Amino acid sequence: MKSEWYIDWFDSPYYHVLYKNRDGIEAEKFIHALNQFLAPKTDAIFLDAACGKGRHSIFIESLGYTIDGFDLSENSIEAAKNHETEKLKFFVNDIRIPLKVIHYDFVFNLFTSFGYFESHEDNQKAINALTESLKTNGVLVMDFMNCSKVIDRLNVNETKEIDDISFKINRSYKDGKILKDIEFEADNKNYKFQESVMTITLNDFKTYFEKANLKIEAIFGDYNLNPFDIEASDRLILIARKN
Ligand SMILES: C[S@@+](CC[C@H](N)C(=O)[O-])C[C@H]1O[C@@H](n2cnc3c(N)ncnc32)[C@H](O)[C@@H]1O
């Protein structure tokens, strides 16, 4: 059976090469801004859902909080586990399944770790599972791309040279999805991957959240938490509370 693209690509070492600029420094800056806004109590418990190698989780723990991170990628979780402490634990888990139920004060889903499924039903399942893992009055932070701007300014072809690998990238928009074809040669082999992210709009999120009993409290458009502007913002960052 063909494996889903998001299993193979995110588990490959080359994903981490291509996105190496998405690093701990970016993560720290964003978490600083978020925590200023959210003002978590010192005993707050966090979940970093689809945490990758855990760049946000590691920083949150360094601030003294308790946090779990999970991801579907076994290789990423193996790397993240090197940073485990008493207050920081990592797990392999699918976002459609709650890791723990009614357990967290804050659930984060950061840097477009959403939109990979083929259907709104699966998206809803994931939002429901994240909500189930929150305590009542707990807060979900969903950090997605602003699809409207991405489609408007689609940079069709691009080559990125990183760590002696030449990544040839072609972006397109088809059937409600933003597709990114990535081709490169590495370790004497040719590789081809395709990222495929559903163009989920603010209205789609409003529908998912309403069904999950989440109330939106703020909408931001970048990692400095400037207000969301559909034409200009790079990100669509939703802050929603469980009723
Ligand atoms: C763009 S990366 C971002 C990772 C991390 N949040 C960060 O900012 O570095 C998206 C992540 O989502 C994970 N992912 C994809 N589908 C998933 C699923 N169904 N359940 C859990 N994680 C998933 C991938 O393995 C990948 O690590």
Side-chain angles (χ1 to χ4, degrees):
M1 201 180 91
K2 187 180 151 284
S3 171
E4 300 290 353
W5 72 266
Y6 52 84
I7 299 177
D8 299 334
W9 173 229
F10 290 124
D11 211 33
S12 115
Y14 307 113
Y15 160 76
H16 296 282
V17 176
L18 180 59
Y19 286 93
K20 76 188 287 188
N21 63 327
R22 301 305 193 166
D23 57 9
I25 296 166
E26 181 188 68
E28 285 187 20
K29 210 176 119 211
F30 185 31
I31 295 300
H32 258 311
L34 273 179
N35 276 2
Q36 259 191 341
F37 178 78
L38 298 169
K41 292 190 183 141
T42 50
D43 61 352
I45 305 175
F46 288 75
L47 173 66
D48 184 3
C51 62
K53 288 184 178 176
R55 60 189 176 130
H56 299 95
S57 310
I58 293 164
F59 182 61
I60 291 168
E61 190 265 358
S62 78
L63 300 173
Y65 296 106
T66 298
I67 174 152
D68 290 335
F70 76 75
D71 200 281
L72 200 57
S73 160
E74 292 183 8
N75 286 331
S76 292
I77 291 301
E78 197 183 308
K81 275 184 173 289
N82 291 321
H83 301 270
E84 280 194 340
T85 65
E86 201 52 42
K87 290 183 147 192
L88 172 63
K89 301 287 176 207
F90 290 104
F91 306 85
V92 174
N93 184 55
D94 188 299
I95 196 166
R96 289 165 291 191
I97 299 166
L99 186 69
K100 296 175 185 172
V101 173
I102 318 182
H103 186 79
Y104 301 99
D105 299 287
F106 296 95
V107 170
F108 290 178
N109 180 262
L110 306 179
F111 185 45
T112 323
S113 298
F114 204 77
Y116 307 146
F117 301 125
E118 293 288 322
S119 68
H120 286 290
E121 286 73 26
D122 271 326
N123 291 346
Q124 186 71 57
K125 240 190 220 178
I127 296 292
N128 291 351
L130 296 178
T131 309
E132 256 183 79
S133 66
L134 278 169
K135 295 175 187 163
T136 302
N137 285 322
V139 169
L140 172 69
V141 176
M142 170 60 64
D143 161 32
F144 198 62
M145 60 183 165
N146 175 12
C147 295
S148 188
K149 184 171 169 190
V150 175
I151 294 165
D152 269 2
R153 303 188 196 175
L154 213 58
N155 176 2
V156 178
N157 287 308
E158 191 185 3
T159 301
K160 283 189 175 175
E161 312 282 345
I162 309 169
D163 290 357
D164 292 331
I165 302 177
S166 181
F167 292 94
K168 296 200 170 35
I169 298 168
N170 177 276
R171 293 186 180 80
S172 55
Y173 171 55
K174 203 177 162 209
D175 300 333
K177 288 177 189 152
I178 292 166
L179 306 174
K180 189 165 163 182
D181 287 288
I182 304 158
E183 288 188 39
F184 55 94
E185 193 194 318
D187 305 315
N188 299 317
K189 271 182 79 178
N190 290 315
Y191 290 94
K192 266 188 193 185
F193 289 99
Q194 186 186 59
E195 294 180 5
S196 166
V197 182
M198 193 192 279
T199 52
I200 304 171
T201 64
L202 176 55
N203 273 339
D204 293 327
F205 277 115
K206 282 182 176 167
T207 306
Y208 300 151
F209 283 16
E210 207 171 294
K211 285 188 182 161
N213 215 9
L214 286 166
K215 191 168 176 289
I216 295 176
E217 293 194 339
I219 306 173
F220 299 114
D222 61 33
Y223 290 151
N224 296 317
L225 303 192
N226 288 305
F228 177 69
D229 173 336
I230 191 149
E231 277 168 24
S233 296
D234 287 322
R235 309 299 304 167
L236 169 61
I237 301 167
L238 297 151
I239 315 280
R241 194 175 294 276
K242 178 175 177 172
N243 285 318

